[in-house]
Each structure stands twice: as C-alpha cells, then as structure tokens.
Amino acid sequence: MPRVKRGVTTHQKHKSLLALTKGHRATRHALVKRATESMMKSLSYAYAHRRERKGDMRRLWITRVNAASRLQGMTYGELMDGLKKSGVRINRKVLADMAVTQPEVFAELVTVAKKQS
C-alpha cells in the first residue's frame, strides 16, 4: 500500500475550524485544540438559545399585550380570560402585533372581552 500524506486535508480542516471561531478571544481563535473546544461550546449555546428565544418572544408578546390592554382599562389576565370565554381564538403573537400596528382593532377586541367578564 502506498503511503498517504494527510497534510493538505488536515490543513483544510483546521482552516475551516479557525474560520468558525473567527470572533473568539485569545487562543480560542488561533490554536486548533482550543478553537475546537470553543467551537463545540459555541454551537451548543447556539442550539440551546434557539429554543430559549421562543420563550423570550412569548414573554415579549405578553408584555406588549398587557401594556396595551392596561391602556384600555383591563389587565392581561382579564383580557385573555374574556377572549377565551367569548370564543375568540387568537394567539399572543397576533395580539401583540395588533396592539402595536392596529390599536383600534385591538380596542374592539378589548370591548368584546369586557362584555364577557
């Protein structure tokens, strides 16, 4: 069997690894072993935080709906309870967008919810 020299392949792998860790500090972007550790950690953070972002967005929508409903004289819980009892099936994302972009439509939803409470 002929001898296989792997310098070119290894160099390419190292280059792609160091490209992934470009913005990292100190040896984390320069030394291959440290860069590998840094890359693995950063990819795990990215994976976890993609899932965490969903909860962050939900909290943001609830905060926006709460602020808009309080301007109409109703708390968030009362609004959601009234909407549920009146049979209005609308999610928090759409409610939050409506509260920001279409306040008059949101006010109508609040009146519908007030009738049920």
Side-chain angles (χ1 to χ4, degrees), residues 92-103:
R92 288 158 183 83
K93 180 180 180 179
V94 174
L95 268 176
D97 184 54
M98 214 180 278
V100 173
T101 59
Q102 303 168 333

Side-chain angles (χ1 to χ4, degrees), residues 12 36 43 56 64 70 90 112:
Q12 285 299 324
T36 306
L43 290 176
D56 293 342
R64 286 181 178 171
R70 283 179 187 271
I90 189 165
V112 167

Side-chain angles (χ1 to χ4, degrees), residues 41-106:
K41 192 67 172 175
S42 67
L43 290 176
S44 71
Y45 280 140
Y47 179 83
H49 293 158
R50 274 196 300 277
R51 275 124 196 92
E52 204 175 285
R53 189 183 319 136
K54 280 121 182 102
D56 293 342
M57 293 308 295
R58 183 182 168 98
R59 278 188 287 278
L60 175 67
W61 298 329
I62 289 172
T63 303
R64 286 181 178 171
V65 171
N66 189 21
S69 63
R70 283 179 187 271
L71 290 174
Q72 303 290 330
M74 196 173 209
T75 65
Y76 169 79
E78 292 168 349
L79 172 71
M80 295 309 285
D81 184 51
L83 289 176
K84 190 177 283 186
K85 286 179 180 173
S86 63
V88 176
R89 292 181 44 85
I90 189 165
N91 64 20
R92 288 158 183 83
K93 180 180 180 179
V94 174
L95 268 176
D97 184 54
M98 214 180 278
V100 173
T101 59
Q102 303 168 333
E104 61 282 344
V105 178
F106 185 79

Side-chain angles (χ1 to χ4, degrees), residues 17-31:
L17 169 73
L18 294 176
L20 282 174
T21 58
K22 187 176 174 191
H24 297 206
R25 292 182 61 186
T27 58
R28 291 169 160 248
H29 78 280
L31 303 181

